[in-house]
Amino acid sequence: MASFRINFNVNLRCPSDTPRLSSTCQLLPLQSQCSPCPALSLSNSIPSNTLNPKKISLPNSRPSSCVAVRSHMATEEKPVSEDRMLVFVPPHPLIKHWVSVLRNEQTPCPIFRNAMAELGRLLMYEASRDWLPTVQGEIQSPMGVASVEFIDPREPVAVIPILRAGLALAEHASSILPATKTYHLGISRNEETLQPTVYLSKLPEKFPEDSRVFVVDPMLATGGTIVAALNLLKELGLQNKQIKVICAVSAPPALQKLSEQFPGLHVYTGIIDPTVNEKGFIIPGLGDAGDRSYGT
C-alpha cells in the first residue's frame, strides 16, 4: 500500500512528552479509524495530493501552542487542546475535483469563478459542522407531531470575504447558512514588499459577544493578508475560537504564522501546497485567484 509523506519547510519543536520518529512521519491511507501521528519533522515539501484522512499534530516553535492537521473522516477523535490551531483538509472527492478545476490554466474565468464558489460552499459546509447554534421544538407534520431542530436565526454567522477573490469563494455562503451577515474587507498586497494594506473595511464597530465568523480568503501564501485581517477582528473583540478561516489553497509559511499568533483558530482548506516562491505565489497553486475569477 502506498504511503504519503508530509514535510514543512520550518523547524519546530515537539512537546517533551511526544515520542519522536526518525526524520519524517509517514501517513498511511485510512483503514478502520484515524489515530494521531506521534511526531512530525518539518523540512522541505508537501506533495500536492497531501493529507489522507489522518490527524497529525504539528508542534510549532512555542511549546504552549501547536497546529494539528486533520479531516472529518475519523470514527474516533481524542480531545484536542484549545491552545492548538487546527487545519482541516476534508477528504471529499468533490473538493478534490474543484481544486483540480481551479489548478488548470486552461479553465476560463466563468468556470473558474463557479469552481471557486462550489469549493467555498463545500468548505463552509464542513466548517459549520457542530458549530451552529440551534433551537429545538415540536411541529405538526402531515402525519403527526415531530420533534425538530432548526438553526437559530437570531444568531447569524458573519461572513467576511477578503476582496476581491474572497467574493468568489464566499458566493454561495447564503445558500448553505440559513442566517448570515456579510462584511466586506479589502486588503491589497504590495507586490514588491508583500506587505498588506487595508483599503476598505465594512466591519462593524464591535461584534456581538457570541459571534461566529467565517473569514474567506482563497490563498494563504505568505500569511500577511490573513494575519492583518485577523488582527482587525481581534481588535473588535473576537476570540480565536470564534473564527474559522476558509481558503482554497494554503502553504506552510501562512500556516506557521497563524499557528504562532492565533492559537485555537480553525482553518479549512481545499489543499496544502508545498511552497511559496519569491513573489509570494503558492507553488503549484492556481495563480492569481482574483485575476482568474474576474478576468482583470
Side-chain angles (χ1 to χ4, degrees):
M1 181 179 293
S3 62
F4 301 91
R5 185 169 62 193
I6 297 181
N7 303 310
F8 278 72
N9 59 351
V10 289
N11 187 16
L12 308 180
R13 291 205 306 268
C14 294
S16 58
D17 60 347
T18 303
R20 293 187 178 274
L21 303 180
S22 55
S23 60
T24 61
C25 177
Q26 301 290 332
L27 298 186
L28 300 178
L30 181 69
Q31 296 180 17
S32 59
Q33 66 179 28
C34 292
S35 58
C37 178
L40 182 64
S41 175
L42 311 178
S43 53
N44 293 324
S45 63
I46 303 176
S48 60
N49 61 351
T50 190
L51 287 196
N52 281 290
K54 282 286 189 176
K55 184 177 86 172
I56 60 176
S57 292
L58 308 180
N60 65 27
S61 55
R62 299 190 309 172
S64 63
S65 174
C66 65
V67 53
V69 181
R70 67 184 185 178
S71 78
H72 285 300
M73 288 186 63
T75 58
E76 183 177 312
E77 290 286 353
K78 294 184 177 181
V80 177
S81 173
E82 289 188 359
D83 65 355
R84 294 184 177 187
M85 186 190 83
L86 299 181
V87 179
F88 296 84
V89 184
H92 197 293
L94 285 174
I95 290 177
K96 296 176 182 178
H97 169 82
W98 293 119
V99 168
S100 300
V101 173
L102 293 171
R103 285 203 194 279
N104 188 352
E105 66 176 0
Q106 301 299 321
T107 300
C109 286
I111 296 177
F112 185 94
R113 190 165 62 249
N114 179 71
M116 189 70 77
E118 291 297 332
L119 179 61
R121 185 209 304 267
L122 293 168
L123 291 173
M124 281 184 274
Y125 172 83
E126 294 289 349
S128 61
R129 187 190 303 267
D130 300 325
W131 195 56
L132 300 177
T134 61
V135 292
Q136 297 178 342
E138 291 185 342
I139 61 172
Q140 180 69 44
S141 82
M143 303 303 294
V145 176
S147 297
V148 295
E149 186 171 358
F150 292 102
I151 301 301
D152 191 343
R154 298 168 298 179
E155 300 184 38
V157 175
V159 179
I160 304 176
I162 298 181
L163 307 182
R164 63 184 166 159
L167 290 172
L169 194 60
E171 183 174 342
H172 290 332
S174 61
S175 71
I176 62 167
L177 299 171
T180 61
K181 289 185 177 180
T182 300
Y183 301 97
H184 295 96
L185 182 61
I187 301 180
S188 62
R189 186 177 69 169
N190 186 299
E191 297 302 328
E192 295 182 359
T193 66
L194 303 183
Q195 295 303 307
T197 300
V198 178
Y199 65 86
L200 174 70
S201 176
K202 292 296 184 179
L203 300 177
E205 294 184 0
K206 189 173 181 63
F207 283 92
E209 182 178 352
D210 296 326
S211 293
R212 293 166 174 81
V213 178
F214 283 143
V215 179
V216 185
D217 189 8
M219 313 296 289
L220 302 188
T222 63
T225 298
I226 191 64
V227 167
L230 295 180
N231 281 332
L232 284 175
L233 297 183
K234 291 190 71 174
E235 292 175 4
L236 298 177
L238 289 176
Q239 303 297 315
N240 297 338
K241 64 182 180 180
Q242 296 175 260
I243 303 170
K244 294 192 177 186
V245 174
I246 305 295
C247 67
V249 184
S250 58
L255 296 178
Q256 177 64 19
K257 286 182 181 179
L258 292 175
S259 69
E260 292 173 348
Q261 299 183 42
F262 303 97
L265 181 72
H266 288 185
V267 176
Y268 284 75
T269 180
I271 198 165
I272 302 176
D273 274 356
T275 189
V276 174
N277 68 13
E278 66 281 357
K279 294 183 178 181
F281 282 91
I282 298 175
I283 304 299
L286 47 83
D288 189 301
D291 288 355
R292 297 193 64 195
S293 292
Y294 299 105
T296 56

